[in-house]
Amino acid sequence: MDNQNTPDGPGSGNACGAEESGTTPRRVFLGYMIATAGTFIGIVAGLPIVGYIVSPLFAKPKDGTWVSLGKVDEFSKSNDPQMVQFTLTQEDGWTEVKQARTAWVVPQGGGNFTVFNGQCTHLGCAYTWQTQGEYAGTFHCPCHDGVYDRNGRVLSGPPPRPLDTLQIKIENGQLNALYEDFHLGIPTKVVI
């Protein structure tokens, strides 16, 4: 018997031994399976990367947090600026972080107030209102000798801009401020 005449013999031209009746040869089928598996793995691995790249487009802008600073009557008793300490609770995934913050309430007369973020605009150090000594009647940051007037304007030192003011509202006799942190060391006020 001659092997040349058999459909699957060496001279048949069909290296895989498949019939010519429309069935897919084994090597071609395995090539499709490998390509399909590779595509699936590429998509599964690539989706997180694509999500990371496009997520800022859909991110909700951070809003500040309204905090109650105290009763308006308490701030109206004195003309001097008063420091208010409070705790912010921020949620980050499953973690809650409590952060101590300060603000300065400056009575402006007639029931009006200015509220400053408690961080120096230079490097974020804490500053204080001075009632006596060389810096009496000013806000003084002792870290780098930054000095601000009662309205938050820079009088001397390295601060690049005035103190950062916070938006306020008065509700039911309570003074509330929209607390926000700002980029430090730059001449413009930019919310973080």
Side-chain angles (χ1 to χ4, degrees), residues 18-25:
E19 298 178 10
E20 293 184 22
S21 63
T23 60
T24 305

Side-chain angles (χ1 to χ4, degrees), residues 82-86 88 90 99-105 115-129 139-144 146-149 152-154 158-166 179-186 188-192:
Q82 299 171 48
M83 183 175 70
V84 178
Q85 296 178 329
F86 52 91
L88 290 180
Q90 295 181 336
Q99 299 174 331
R101 294 286 190 251
T102 59
W104 283 88
V105 178
V115 176
F116 296 118
N117 181 309
Q119 296 179 327
C120 176
T121 58
H122 177 226
L123 294 176
C125 302
Y127 59 89
T128 58
W129 176 254
F139 288 109
H140 179 242
C141 180
C143 301
H144 302 100
V147 181
Y148 305 88
D149 70 7
R153 291 184 297 257
V154 178
R161 66 175 185 269
L163 292 174
D164 295 319
T165 56
L166 302 176
Y179 187 84
E180 297 174 305
D181 282 320
F182 303 92
H183 284 283
L184 301 170
I186 59 174
T188 55
K189 179 179 169 181
V190 179
V191 177
I192 295 177

Side-chain angles (χ1 to χ4, degrees), residues 40-97:
F40 177 75
I41 291 170
I43 290 172
V44 169
L47 279 177
I49 295 169
V50 170
Y52 175 77
I53 292 170
V54 300
S55 65
L57 299 174
F58 302 105
K60 193 170 69 169
K62 287 185 181 178
D63 293 331
T65 303
W66 283 98
V67 293
S68 176
L69 300 178
K71 294 183 181 284
V72 171
D73 297 343
E74 294 297 318
F75 296 116
S76 299
K77 289 180 181 178
S78 171
N79 196 35
D80 284 337
Q82 299 171 48
M83 183 175 70
V84 178
Q85 296 178 329
F86 52 91
T87 302
L88 290 180
T89 302
Q90 295 181 336
E91 293 182 15
D92 184 15
W94 293 276
T95 308
E96 272 191 2
V97 178

